[in-house]
């Protein structure tokens, strides 16, 4: 496991904002889904063993500063929501906007950036565990920005001092160094929403040709912690833009 920071392949000093810090995830096998969670709903249950290839994933969600570099270049449209600061996750972006950012980042670096698959997201969220959250089965606001237990409104409780979106890296990371996988903002994934019956077992995304809705993971500051469980799934149309939705990127290793 290692931190990977990439510089642009053809930029001049100061031309671009910092790119996401990436963490390399080694190849391996893990059990995906909510079969060990009595709160899991039917679409989370899978009894799936996933044989993952190695990949890199961003330490945090894409920030407002990082996304703004793409907007200023003309390759991305402006988000629906203006962030409170540069180190806040960009929100109010659609799945299509996330695709535009990943494509732009790929051009700037000469590497292949993309959204995480559902399986990749759950792999880094679980951090080798089978509990509801990587730290255990009970919610802990030291690890995430969750909403009130009575849906659907924000909450300020204990270590969570943020009523709305929090800046990145304000809560405890996973043992591998990933931040904000639980709560704060939903994260778009590459996958089309569907049951797991025909989903790939190699960690790649489920993408039928007639896809109409895409999967999001991680919960948000508006929703109770149960929506942020490691196996919990949500779905929206790819053009939807909401104030509690952002994304993080993945990087294919060894691919130009």
């Amino acid at each position: 496991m290692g931190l990977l920071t990439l510089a642009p392949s053809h930029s001049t000093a100061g031309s671009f904002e910092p790119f996401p810090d990436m963490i390399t995830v080694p190849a391996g096998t893990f059990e995906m889904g909510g079969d060990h969670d009595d709160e899991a709903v039917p679409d989370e249950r899978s009894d799936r063993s996933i044989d993952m290839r190695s990949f890199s994933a961003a330490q945090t969600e894409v920030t407002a500063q990082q996304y703004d570099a793409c907007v200023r270049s003309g390759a991305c449209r402006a988000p629906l929501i203006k962030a409170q600061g540069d180190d806040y996750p960009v929100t109010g972006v659609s799945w299509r906007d996330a695709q535009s950012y990943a494509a732009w980042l790929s051009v700037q670096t000469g590497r292949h950036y993309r959204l995480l698959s559902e399986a990749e997201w759950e792999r880094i969220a679980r951090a080798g565990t089978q509990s509801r959250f990587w730290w255990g089965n009970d919610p802990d606001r030291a690890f995430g920005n969750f909403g009130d237990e009575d849906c659907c409104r924000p909450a300020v409780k204990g270590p969570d001092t943020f009523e709305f979106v929090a800046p990145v890296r304000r809560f405890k990371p996973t043992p591998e160094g990933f931040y904000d996988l639980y709560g704060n903002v939903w994260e778009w994934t590459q996958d089309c929403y569907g049951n797991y019956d025909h989903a790939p077992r190699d960690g790649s995304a489920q993408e039928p040709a007639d896809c109409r809705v895409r999967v999001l993971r991680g919960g948000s500051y508006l929703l109770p912690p149960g929506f942020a469980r490691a196996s919990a799934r949500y779905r929206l149309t790819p053009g939807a833009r909401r104030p509690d939705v952002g994304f993080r990127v993945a990087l294919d290793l060894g691919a130009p």
Side-chain angles (χ1 to χ4, degrees):
M1 187 72 56
L3 181 64
L4 176 64
T5 303
L6 291 179
S9 60
H10 55 274
S11 68
T12 58
S15 296
F16 298 99
E17 305 293 352
F19 293 140
D21 289 331
M22 310 296 290
I23 295 176
T24 300
V25 180
T29 302
F30 86 103
E31 290 187 30
M32 181 180 179
D35 288 359
H36 299 279
D37 182 358
D38 58 14
E39 290 187 6
V41 297
D43 76 342
E44 299 174 33
R45 300 186 182 278
S46 70
D47 190 25
R48 301 173 70 213
S49 180
I50 305 296
D51 189 15
M52 302 286 296
R53 66 197 182 284
S54 182
F55 65 99
S56 285
Q59 271 195 309
T60 71
E61 292 128 353
V62 171
T63 66
Q65 182 186 51
Q66 291 162 352
Y67 187 83
D68 186 59
C70 183
V71 173
R72 288 188 284 108
S73 78
C76 292
R77 68 171 173 171
L80 184 65
I81 308 297
K82 181 175 175 58
Q84 297 180 55
D86 287 345
D87 61 344
Y88 282 71
V90 64
T91 62
V93 288
S94 69
W95 183 88
R96 296 187 183 109
D97 294 330
Q99 297 293 325
S100 295
Y101 176 81
W104 172 82
L105 190 59
S106 297
V107 170
Q108 304 311 310
T109 62
R111 306 293 297 276
H112 182 220
Y113 284 86
R114 55 177 175 77
L115 291 179
L116 279 73
S117 69
E118 257 199 291
E120 290 169 337
W121 189 97
E122 189 167 327
R123 159 60 185 83
I124 65 173
R126 287 197 175 281
T129 70
Q130 284 296 315
S131 47
R132 291 174 187 154
F133 311 93
W134 74 259
W135 60 86
N137 285 322
D138 297 324
D140 186 335
R141 293 178 184 271
F143 295 98
N145 180 15
F146 305 122
D148 194 82
E149 279 77 5
D150 294 327
C151 187
C152 300
R153 59 188 181 187
V156 175
K157 295 182 180 180
D160 176 7
T161 60
F162 298 94
E163 184 176 8
F164 300 106
V165 179
V168 300
R169 296 188 175 96
R170 292 303 194 271
F171 296 88
K172 294 180 180 179
T174 70
E176 295 172 321
F178 294 104
Y179 290 86
D180 307 311
L181 286 160
Y182 294 90
N184 209 29
V185 299
W186 286 105
E187 298 181 12
W188 288 110
T189 69
Q190 185 65 30
D191 289 67
C192 188
Y193 176 80
N195 63 40
Y196 287 140
D197 290 350
H198 303 293
R201 291 182 177 266
D202 63 357
S204 58
Q206 183 171 205
E207 293 196 272
D210 59 347
C211 183
R212 296 185 178 181
V213 288
R214 297 284 175 172
V215 177
L216 303 95
R217 291 297 201 107
S220 86
Y221 68 88
L222 280 172
L223 296 169
F227 284 85
R229 293 173 296 103
S231 63
R233 310 170 75 203
Y234 194 58
R235 59 190 186 271
L236 288 172
T237 58
R241 299 198 291 173
R242 288 185 14 172
D244 63 339
V245 172
F247 66 99
R248 80 176 64 213
V249 291
L251 173 67
D252 286 331
L253 298 177

